[in-house]
Amino acid sequence: MPNSSSISEFLLLPLADTRQLQLLHFWLLLGIYLAALLGNGLISTAVACDRRLHTPMYFFLLNLALLDLGCISTTLPKAMANALWDTRAITYTGCAAQLFFFLFFISAEFSLLTTMSYDRYVAICKPLHYGTLMDSRACATMAAAAWGAGVLNSLLHTASTFSLPLCQGNVVHQFFCEIPQILKLSCSDSNLREVVLLIFSCSLAFGCFVFIVVSYVQIFMAVLRMPSDQGRHKAFSTCLPHLSVVSLFVSTGIFANLKPPSLSSPFMDLLVSLLYSVVPPTLNPIIYSMRNREIKHSLRKVLQYALFQLP
């Protein structure tokens, strides 16, 4: 049987069996990808160009948009290329790089969402201390910590996964390289180290989830004690988009990893992977722009400026 030293490429799961469906999936994924690029690009541009949005909340939103851009750009371009050129191949190095960057962006995004929940907690529950606790230095440090946590987590998992001897072929039953599918190619009883790392990462992710839940319990208790309807509305308008993004991110991730074995099939695995790797980066800009007046106003200014500059 082949081992990891003899594997030069992996074969990914095709999106469809017929050429017509492959081309249909290519155009569908292209539309989704362009929508994600446009949405996150507009959010990033609006936050970067509008001085009124140079606040901690929008600074973290800018980082979230950049992470979403990186996340969806790690998986979809290769899937679209394979569908367009009717191929399944990805090089060994390309597979390792794809796994590393996908884990990096996913891990950093969840860390950033945790940081954003703390930002909302301080803004609503400790408003008098907000300027001190969330100054520019603290925000930059927390954002750097989120990105650094993503790098560390992805580096550990990628190094651990690709250090395993692979002796079960080179067919990855997924449209991109991910840890569970690579582990299926390893020799029996040789992946204990990666399983331990996965348990450790899941424990940290669960800790972040608990922190987010506790933060929002405190936030909602504080909001309900506000005397004015206008204050409650303003607080909810800044919290609900973030809570919606967290719910979308967590629910798709949980379903992907904890779905019943009876639902496991190549088609279902493909559908679930699209759900958690493609849907959040595409919908996040829509969620944030729907209920946020400042974002809407800045986006209108950006679009008006862009149209004015057209010849």
Side-chain angles (χ1 to χ4, degrees):
M1 290 185 292
N3 55 42
S4 56
S5 62
S6 64
I7 294 178
S8 60
E9 66 177 19
F10 293 94
L11 298 179
L12 299 175
L13 185 70
L15 294 175
D17 297 327
T18 65
R19 187 62 183 149
Q20 290 79 8
L21 283 178
Q22 284 179 341
L23 293 176
L24 177 63
H25 286 147
F26 165 77
W27 289 110
L28 178 62
L29 293 181
L30 179 62
I32 294 174
Y33 185 56
L34 292 178
L37 290 181
L38 178 62
N40 288 289
L42 285 174
I43 292 286
S44 302
T45 304
V47 174
C49 296
D50 193 339
R51 287 186 173 273
R52 295 182 306 169
L53 301 185
H54 291 180
T55 63
M57 183 178 74
Y58 295 109
F59 169 73
F60 292 129
L61 180 57
L62 170 62
N63 279 265
L64 181 67
L66 294 176
L67 289 172
D68 282 335
L69 282 173
C71 182
I72 201 167
S73 296
T74 301
T75 57
L76 280 198
K78 181 59 179 175
M80 290 188 294
N82 283 357
L84 181 62
W85 301 111
D86 191 19
T87 181
R88 300 171 53 189
I90 183 172
T91 64
Y92 185 92
T93 304
C95 185
Q98 191 177 63
L99 178 64
F100 172 84
F101 283 109
F102 182 73
L103 283 175
F104 162 58
F105 289 119
I106 287 291
S107 303
E109 182 162 336
F110 195 43
S111 299
L112 187 69
L113 289 173
T114 306
T115 301
M116 293 172 75
S117 70
Y118 175 73
D119 170 69
R120 292 298 83 207
Y121 164 77
V122 176
I124 294 174
C125 298
K126 299 181 181 294
L128 297 180
H129 302 283
Y130 187 74
T132 303
L133 294 175
M134 301 299 296
D135 60 8
S136 58
R137 183 175 180 179
C139 292
T141 300
M142 286 186 279
W147 287 75
V151 171
L152 180 61
N153 184 60
S154 61
L155 185 62
L156 289 174
H157 281 291
T158 304
S160 175
T161 301
F162 282 90
S163 66
L164 298 173
L166 306 179
C167 51
Q168 303 293 331
N170 66 336
V171 179
V172 178
H173 294 285
Q174 190 53 273
F175 80 97
F176 67 97
C177 292
E178 63 175 3
I179 290 178
Q181 301 302 327
I182 300 296
L183 291 182
K184 291 180 181 179
L185 305 180
S186 66
C187 301
S188 59
D189 302 325
S190 63
N191 55 4
L192 179 61
R193 178 176 52 191
E194 179 57 30
V195 171
V196 171
L197 277 176
L198 282 173
I199 294 174
F200 177 71
S201 295
C202 289
S203 300
L204 290 179
F206 181 73
C208 291
F209 177 71
V210 171
F211 181 87
I212 292 172
V213 171
V214 171
S215 297
Y216 270 96
V217 169
Q218 299 285 338
I219 288 170
F220 286 134
M221 290 175 61
V223 170
L224 293 176
R225 289 195 297 265
M226 290 181 177
S228 67
D229 292 337
Q230 184 178 2
R232 285 195 295 268
H233 176 75
K234 183 177 181 180
F236 277 124
S237 68
T238 61
C239 289
L240 289 181
H242 175 256
L243 190 58
S244 301
V245 168
V246 171
S247 301
L248 178 65
F249 185 90
V250 172
S251 60
T252 54
I254 289 176
F255 183 74
N257 291 282
L258 299 180
K259 66 181 184 298
S262 59
L263 295 179
S264 183
S265 67
F267 174 76
M268 183 57 67
D269 291 343
L270 178 63
L271 185 63
V272 169
S273 65
L274 286 170
L275 186 67
Y276 81 87
S277 64
V278 174
V279 172
T282 306
L283 291 185
N284 285 351
I286 300 174
I287 293 173
Y288 268 104
S289 60
M290 281 178 59
R291 295 184 57 87
N292 193 299
R293 292 181 180 178
E294 288 80 7
I295 288 290
K296 288 181 181 179
H297 179 71
S298 296
L299 287 177
R300 280 196 293 267
K301 288 174 60 178
V302 169
L303 292 174
Q304 288 172 358
Y305 178 80
L307 292 175
F308 181 76
Q309 294 298 316
L310 289 177

